[in-house]
Each structure stands twice: as structure tokens, then as C-alpha cells.
């Protein structure tokens, strides 16, 4: 999608069609607010037959035309005209023409004061319970402009008292800003019951709507009809809000719940959640109940052969543990589940216990997630690894995730090792790997550990000639101590 206000080829065609006399409703359906902005840009750029003569003869004191009886197509082009006098006169003739209201909305943000003021006055008279929901997406879209606040204020004023049946379509509108606006109004007026707010928080894809509804639902009540949707939400922030609300739900009289209580049991179920923020909230609630999350994690991770061990429990142990817990984490790096192995490596890194010698073999793991976590753990000590082994992992026959890991580590080594790796991957079968290698070649500079005058460096740089160009290539060769 083009940025708002930029004319697309389609918009240029629309302007030409309007200039040729096509009916406005046949050219634009009015469903997409950005289409009106694109039409405005196209017409302003001179697309559409008949737009130039609207301004009248050169040097005239004002537009020498009458738009009162003009058709909607001609008025639409006039509302978008580059001459402010044309736009202002067109607004006078646009009164009482509902199909032109989207262009009136755009003119409420016009840079020319008289045009802007007349458009705002016209919109104030036209905006009602019927037109406001239809124009809301466009009003909110142009509301981000420097002079767009007036339209949003008018929209808020009208919809502040709108009945729920008219506000409801905006609550499920496909455009996130419209849903945010509608939910703020509905929450402010108390139109939505807590259970419905919780369900919306759990299912709406927009994080702003999720947070707004989750907070409003919890503020209104913490019964199971509210907590159940929040605790089952896909979004971690919503689940975290639900977990945190468990404590308040269990102590309406201010007395903290005890270990073994229902709230303790429900919070315990989220100690191994896949999201860090949810695990942190669960640990808080369990501690408030008198429980010990650290002891729970240690007990849960005690059996390295536990096939049902959730990966979240492994990294949770590292999040609240100490280095003594590495004795539990190292065996889990051999667990049959890739997720557990990956979280064990991540946990060792969190506890600053990532032994490069013991972890290096996991670079050959079949699971991309394990190799990714291992690479992150090894990057600080990349120079201590066997460069020849890493170079062998760049072979096209190796899995992509292993080639990428080896390249990242060799890049971290810098110097000649980095240049060798980058050049070796210039013919990689994966386009994204090739692109990264090309960028690495282009950014390579000789460092102090590169042997001056190395013939190998010269050969490698020559292979990157098409990426560097002759001038840059000569400069790189000179920096590497190569002459000629």
C-alpha cells in the first residue's frame, strides 16, 4: 500500500475517469479511506481532464467559474485542485452531497485556512449518527496530520452518545485505529460487560485493543468469566495480565492466599509458560502465596529424561536461579526434545555458564532453534573456536541453519576468517545467505591481524570485484598491503 497522500497509478486512472465524466460512485466505492487520499494527490498533480481550466484565466482575481450545477465528478476534482480558491468554491457546492463527504474530510486538514475552516463547518453540519461510522476510518486516518485534530474532535463529539448498535460495527472494524477509537469510547462509557472485554482482549489481533480491554475487564471484575479468556489468550501480555489478576481475585478481603490454594495452583500452571513476561508474573503470584518458584523449577527439571518436561520450565529455572543450577541444565542440553535443548542452552547463557568447549558440538544439532541459541552463546568467544571446523560447516551440503551459524561465528572472528567465509558463501544456494555474504564482503576492511601483502587476501578480494567495483577494490588491496 502506498503512503497516504501519494498518488498511485490506479488513482491517476480514477482522476482521468472523473475528468471524462464518469460517475463518482462508479469510480470509487468509498470502502478504502486511502483511496480518497490517493485520488486527492492524483487530481492535485493535474490528472483528470478539465482540472486546469477550473482556476480560470491567468492573472484573474479569483476563479471565474460556477460550480453550483456541476456534477459530482467535476466537484470531486475541484475539491482536490491545487488552487485553494477552487477548493474553497467547490466546498460551497459540495453541501448536501453525501458522496463527496470523504473529500470534505480531507479538506478539513487543508493547509489553506479558509478552505480548512469551511470544510470543518461543512463536516460539522453533515456528521451525524449515520455518517459518522462510515467516515470514521478516513477521519482517524487524516487525524494524524498536523491539522487533523478538528475532525477527530467532531467524530468523538457525535459518537460519544451513539447507541451501542451504531457503535458496534466500529468495534470489529478491520482497521486497528478504528477499533482502538471505538473501544476507548465504549470503555469510557461502560457499554461493554467485563466478560466481553476479556474475550475481546483474548481474540483481537491489535495489541493496543488487547491491553485496553484487558485492563478494563480486570478493573471491572476478576471472576472466572473474565480470567478464563485472559489466561487462555495467545498474546503474552494478555496472559500476564490474567495471571497477575489471579492474586487480587483470590483475596477480596485483603488476606493473601496460601500455598496450596486454588489461586496458587492456577498460577503454578504458568510458571513454565512459553513467554518470559508470563513466567515472571506467575512467579510473583506464587511468591505472594508463600510458594517458592525456584524450588518448583528445580524439582521440575530434576529428571533429564522426562519426556513431558516443558521448555519454559528449563529457562524459568535460569531466570530465577543461580550458577548451582547449571548442574541441572547441562544434562538437559542432551534432552530428546529440541525445545528443551534450546532452552537449556539459553539458560546456561543467562547464568553466564556457557562453556564454549562443551557447547560447540551443539552447532551440528539438527534443530535450528538449538543451533541458534548455541550460536548466541558462542559469539563472545568465537575466536576460541576451531576456524577450520566452522569453515567446513559452510559447505552447501550442510543444513542452512548450520551454514548461517558458522558464518555468524566466523564474521565475529573478523579479519581473514571473515573474508574467507563471506567469499565462500557468495555462491550459496540460499538467496538470503548470499545477500548477507555480499554485504559482508562489501563492508570488509583489513585489520591488524591480517598479514600485510597476503596473496590470499588479494585472491579473495578479486573474487568480490563485482561487488566492490574497481576503485573500492584498489583501495581495499592497498589497505591490505597489496601493491599493483
Amino acid at each position: 500500500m502506498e503512503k497516504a497522500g501519494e498518488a498511485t497509478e490506479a488513482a491517476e486512472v480514477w482522476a482521468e475517469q472523473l475528468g471524462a465524466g464518469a460517475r463518482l460512485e462508479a469510480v470509487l466505492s468509498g470502502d478504502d479511506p486511502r483511496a480518497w487520499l490517493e485520488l486527492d494527490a492524483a487530481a492535485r498533480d493535474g490528472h483528470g481532464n478539465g482540472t486546469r481550466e477550473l482556476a480560470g484565466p491567468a492573472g484573474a482575481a479569483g476563479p471565474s467559474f460556477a460550480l453550483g450545477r456541476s456534477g459530482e465528478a467535476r466537484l470531486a476534482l475541484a475539491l482536490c485542485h491545487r488552487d485553494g480558491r477552487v477548493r474553497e468554491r467547490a466546498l460551497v457546492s459540495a453541501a448536501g452531497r453525501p458522496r463527496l463527504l470523504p473529500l470534505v474530510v480531507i479538506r478539513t486538514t487543508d493547509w489553506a485556512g479558509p478552505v480548512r475552516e469551511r470544510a470543518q463547518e461543512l463536516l460539522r453540519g453533515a456528521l451525524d449518527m449515520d455518517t459518522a461510522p462510515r467516515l470514521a476510518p478516513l477521519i482517524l486516518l487524516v487525524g494524524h496530520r498536523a491539522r487533523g485534530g478538528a475532525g477527530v474532535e467532531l467524530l468523538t463529539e457525535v459518537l460519544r452518545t451513539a447507541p451501542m448498535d451504531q457503535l458496534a460495527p466500529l468495534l470489529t472494524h478491520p482497521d486497528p485505529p478504528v477499533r482502538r477509537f471505538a473501544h476507548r469510547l465504549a470503555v469510557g462509557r461502560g457499554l461493554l460487560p467485563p466478560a466481553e472485554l476479556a474475550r475481546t482482549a483474548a481474540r483481537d489481533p491489535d495489541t493496543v485493543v488487547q491491553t485496553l480491554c484487558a485492563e478494563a475487564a480486570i478493573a471491572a471484575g476478576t471472576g472466572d468469566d473474565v480470567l478464563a479468556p485472559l489466561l487462555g489468550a495467545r498474546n503474552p501480555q494478555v496472559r500476564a495480565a490474567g495471571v497477575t489478576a489471579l492474586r487480587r481475585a483470590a483475596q477480596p478481603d485483603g488476606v493473601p492466599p496460601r500455598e496450596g490454594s486454588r489461586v496458587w495452583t492456577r498460577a503454578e500452571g504458568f510458571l513454565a509458560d512459553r513467554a518470559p513476561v508470563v513466567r515472571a508474573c506467575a512467579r510473583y503470584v506464587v511468591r505472594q502465596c508463600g510458594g517458592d518458584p525456584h524450588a518448583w523449577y528445580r524439582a521440575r527439571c530434576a529428571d533429564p529424561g522426562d519426556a513431558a518436561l516443558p521448555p519454559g520450565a528449563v529457562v524459568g529455572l535460569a531466570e530465577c536461579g543461580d550458577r548451582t543450577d547449571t548442574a541441572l541444565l547441562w544434562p538437559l542440553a542432551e534432552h530428546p526434545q529440541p525445545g528443551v535443548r534450546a532452552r537449556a542452552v539459553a539458560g546456561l547463557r543467562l547464568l553466564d555458564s556457557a562453556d564454549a568447549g562443551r557447547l560447540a558440538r551443539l552447532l551440528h544439532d539438527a534443530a535450528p532453534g538449538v543451533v541458534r541459541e548455541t550460536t548466541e552463546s558462542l559469539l563472545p568467544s568465537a575466536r576460541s573456536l576451531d576456524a577450520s571446523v566452522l569453515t567446513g560447516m559452510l559447505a552447501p551440503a550442510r543444513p542452512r541453519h548450520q551454514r548461517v551459524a558458522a558464518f555468524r561465528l566466523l564474521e565475529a572472528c573478523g579479519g581473514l576468517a571473515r573474508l574467507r567465509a563471506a567469499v565462500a558463501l557468495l555462491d550459496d544456494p540460499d538467496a538470503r545467505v548470499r545477500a548477507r555474504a555480499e554485504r559482508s564482503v562489501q563492508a570488509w576492511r583489513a585489520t591488524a591481524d591480517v598479514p600485510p601483502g597476503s596473496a590470499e587476501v588479494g585472491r579473495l578480494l578479486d573474487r568480490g570485484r563485482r561487488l566492490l567495483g574497481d576503485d573500492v577494490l584498489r583501495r581495499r588491496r592497498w589497505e591490505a598491503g597489496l601493491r599493483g
Side-chain angles (χ1 to χ4, degrees):
M1 176 65 68
E2 294 284 333
K3 293 181 180 179
E6 291 185 357
T8 63
E9 293 183 7
E12 294 170 1
V13 172
W14 299 334
E16 297 292 348
Q17 290 173 338
L18 292 174
R23 296 174 61 188
L24 181 61
E25 62 271 27
V27 175
L28 282 177
S29 64
D31 294 334
D32 184 3
R34 290 173 179 79
W36 292 99
L37 293 174
E38 292 167 0
L39 173 65
D40 179 48
R44 186 173 58 252
D45 290 341
H47 295 278
N49 296 327
T51 58
R52 291 182 177 84
E53 68 270 15
L54 291 175
S64 58
F65 60 91
L67 286 171
R69 296 183 179 180
S70 297
E72 288 183 344
R74 180 177 169 85
L75 279 175
L77 293 176
L79 286 168
C80 305
H81 200 276
R82 67 179 61 185
D83 190 324
R85 301 167 303 171
V86 175
R87 299 195 300 275
E88 185 178 4
R89 289 285 301 275
L91 283 168
V92 176
S93 303
R97 300 179 187 245
R99 281 191 286 266
L100 293 175
L101 281 176
L103 294 173
V104 174
V105 169
I106 295 174
R107 295 281 70 82
T108 62
T109 67
D110 202 280
W111 67 270
V115 177
R116 185 170 65 252
E117 293 166 6
R118 187 178 291 275
Q120 292 172 3
E121 180 182 356
L122 185 57
L123 182 62
R124 182 177 292 105
L127 210 57
D128 55 27
M129 296 294 189
D130 294 325
T131 57
R134 178 171 62 89
L135 294 173
L138 181 56
I139 292 175
L140 294 173
L141 182 59
V142 300
H144 294 291
R145 293 182 171 183
R147 296 169 290 272
V152 177
E153 291 177 5
L154 289 174
L155 180 66
T156 304
E157 183 181 333
V158 171
L159 293 181
R160 187 178 286 124
T161 58
M164 188 59 192
D165 61 337
Q166 289 186 309
L167 197 59
L170 299 182
L171 296 174
T172 57
H173 197 277
D175 194 23
V178 176
R179 295 201 307 280
R180 296 171 190 171
F181 176 83
H183 277 95
R184 288 191 184 102
L185 285 179
V187 168
R189 294 172 56 191
L191 297 178
L192 299 172
E196 184 174 345
L197 286 168
R199 289 192 295 271
T200 300
R203 67 174 180 248
D204 197 285
D206 182 68
T207 56
V208 175
V209 175
Q210 292 168 2
T211 302
L212 174 68
C213 291
E215 292 176 351
I218 294 171
T222 52
D224 275 349
D225 58 343
V226 169
L227 292 178
L230 299 181
L231 295 173
R234 291 176 56 87
N235 182 273
Q237 296 293 339
V238 178
R239 288 202 308 282
V243 171
T244 305
L246 283 172
R247 181 173 180 269
R248 187 161 69 89
Q251 51 175 354
D253 54 358
V255 179
R258 296 182 178 181
E259 184 174 352
S261 64
R262 184 166 181 263
V263 61
W264 190 95
T265 303
R266 295 182 77 177
E268 182 188 59
F270 290 91
L271 287 174
D273 194 273
R274 61 184 180 273
V277 65
V278 180
R279 294 194 296 271
C281 291
R283 288 194 291 270
Y284 162 77
V285 175
V286 169
R287 290 190 186 103
Q288 294 300 307
C289 296
D292 184 355
H294 186 203
W296 184 92
Y297 284 124
R298 286 186 63 87
R300 195 70 183 83
C301 298
D303 181 6
D306 182 3
L309 178 62
V314 180
V315 71
L317 173 61
E319 288 169 343
C320 69
D322 53 44
R323 286 197 173 187
T324 61
D325 295 311
T326 58
L328 295 175
L329 293 176
W330 276 113
L332 295 176
E334 304 287 343
H335 197 275
Q337 283 193 45
V340 172
R341 296 199 302 276
R343 297 302 177 271
V345 174
L348 290 166
R349 186 171 69 251
L350 284 174
L351 295 176
D352 196 21
S353 300
D355 185 302
R358 296 179 67 179
L359 284 179
R361 55 189 173 76
L362 289 177
L363 289 172
H364 305 277
D365 199 282
V370 177
V371 174
R372 199 159 41 241
E373 292 292 352
T374 302
T375 304
E376 291 294 333
S377 300
L378 293 176
L379 281 173
S381 53
R383 289 177 177 269
S384 69
L385 302 175
D386 189 333
S388 63
V389 173
L390 294 176
T391 302
M393 293 175 61
L394 300 175
R398 298 297 291 265
R400 181 188 185 277
H401 64 277
Q402 294 181 11
R403 301 199 309 276
V404 170
F407 183 41
R408 290 185 64 192
L409 292 168
L410 288 167
E411 267 198 315
C413 292
L416 186 52
R418 172 182 171 175
L419 183 60
R420 286 171 179 158
V423 172
L425 292 179
L426 289 179
D427 297 320
D428 192 88
D430 186 277
R432 293 178 63 184
V433 174
R434 289 198 306 273
R436 179 167 181 168
E438 290 172 355
R439 292 193 297 270
S440 186
V441 169
Q442 291 169 331
W444 187 85
R445 308 294 289 266
T447 53
D449 59 341
V450 176
S454 168
E456 182 185 5
V457 171
R459 290 193 298 270
L460 293 172
L461 287 174
D462 286 343
R463 288 186 60 186
R465 180 186 297 272
R466 66 176 179 83
L467 301 171
L468 299 172
D470 291 339
D471 290 340
V472 174
L473 176 60
R474 280 193 294 269
R475 192 178 309 124
R476 295 289 183 271
R477 289 176 59 89
W478 182 84
E479 292 171 352
L482 295 163
R483 300 294 183 267

